[in-house]
Amino acid sequence: DAKTTQPTSMDCAEGRAANLPCNHSTISGNEYVYWYRQIHSQGPQYIIHGLKNNETNEMASLIITEDRKSSTLILPHATLRDTAVYYCIVRVAYNFNKFYFGSGTKLNVKP
Amino acid sequence: GAVVSQHPSWVICKSGTSVKIECRSLDFQATTMFWYRQFPKQSLMLMATSNEGSKATYEQGVEKDKFLINHASLTLSTLTVTSAHPEDSSFYICSARDQAVEQFFGPGTRLTVL
């Protein structure tokens, strides 16, 4: 599975959009981009995933560049409850669905 | 989304004893479950893949005789930490895959070995 690179931490003001970047320059054509988040002392929570096209759901939007070498997770209106570690994971869909977590980005939403 | 539970949510045990952690998929059948370990301020580390009705597959460096995994049914996988020692103290998290591509995680079990 392709390796991902994320900033260690980011700050965001409450109510503003949080844009979390992820680099995956070695991604293959059949690898998906997944985003999960982990609030302190809880299990990871699924946010969104995509292959090529941009995706949006009730939680967030996922923007994947045309060359698929990077992506951005957007939380449109961050709240204090969005403070968490956000993980960007790239993997092949049929690889027994194994997830290998990187170090993630700690998002601090501040009032 | 689908719900995965773990029991217990936390456990404290003496060094040398064995501890069993249960992972259940509550509203779906999971042919495959996964076990992770997470030390403080670190990311999740995949330990093993648990397949219903067959032996678990362990990641490199994980001792299969120390971390016994049983996946006896489509809704239950268990992780037994045998002869636990203080260095086994960690946050253990399971996940389960349904028929879709998403993977759902349990709330985790905090193990403290004295």
Side-chain angles (χ1 to χ4, degrees):
Chain A
D1 292 336
K3 182 179 178 180
T4 61
T5 304
Q6 299 177 252
T8 302
S9 65
M10 293 181 63
D11 291 338
C12 177
E14 188 178 19
R16 304 297 294 269
N19 297 281
L20 292 91
C22 178
N23 285 321
H24 31 79
S25 59
T26 59
I27 191 170
S28 300
N30 59 353
E31 289 183 312
Y32 288 73
V33 179
Y34 283 77
W35 283 85
Y36 279 77
R37 72 180 181 184
Q38 185 179 27
I39 297 171
H40 183 62
S41 295
Q42 297 183 26
Q45 176 190 22
Y46 167 81
I47 301 174
I48 199 167
H49 76 279
L51 182 63
K52 295 181 183 178
N53 301 320
N54 298 336
E55 303 288 344
T56 296
N57 62 20
E58 64 278 4
M59 290 184 66
S61 294
L62 173 61
I63 308 298
I64 303 174
T65 57
E66 191 168 344
D67 63 7
R68 303 210 320 124
K69 293 185 177 182
S70 65
S71 60
T72 301
L73 178 73
I74 301 173
L75 307 179
H77 306 287
T79 69
L80 298 179
R81 288 178 297 179
D82 292 322
T83 292
V85 178
Y86 287 76
Y87 295 100
C88 168
I89 302 166
V90 174
R91 69 163 182 84
V92 178
Y94 58 78
N95 183 23
F96 301 104
N97 291 290
K98 288 185 181 182
F99 279 157
Y100 294 99
F101 285 77
S103 55
T105 296
K106 175 65 189 301
L107 176 66
N108 299 299
V109 180
K110 299 184 176 182
Chain B
V3 178
V4 176
S5 70
Q6 283 184 241
H7 178 80
S9 55
W10 59 270
V11 56
I12 301 173
C13 70
K14 293 182 178 180
S15 184
T17 61
S18 295
V19 175
K20 180 185 286 187
I21 302 170
E22 293 185 348
C23 176
R24 293 182 184 273
S25 56
L26 297 185
D27 50 2
F28 67 100
Q29 294 183 331
T31 55
T32 305
M33 292 184 174
F34 304 89
W35 287 96
Y36 297 81
R37 179 168 54 179
Q38 185 176 33
F39 293 109
K41 299 189 184 301
Q42 294 186 23
S43 186
L44 285 79
M45 185 193 79
L46 178 65
M47 298 176 66
T49 302
S50 171
N51 299 298
E52 188 267 338
S54 64
K55 291 183 178 181
T57 304
Y58 292 82
E59 294 297 304
Q60 191 173 9
V62 178
E63 300 176 61
K64 62 179 182 180
D65 295 329
K66 175 132 183 96
F67 300 99
L68 301 179
I69 292 173
N70 183 279
H71 194 154
S73 75
L74 288 172
T75 59
L76 173 64
S77 175
T78 60
L79 169 68
T80 301
V81 183
T82 62
S83 187
H85 292 284
E87 57 265 30
D88 297 322
S89 298
S90 188
F91 193 49
Y92 291 86
I93 305 170
C94 73
S95 68
R97 179 179 68 87
D98 66 357
Q99 296 302 314
V101 296
E102 293 129 28
Q103 197 172 119
F104 300 95
F105 288 81
T109 296
R110 176 81 53 194
L111 170 63
T112 301
V113 184
L114 301 177

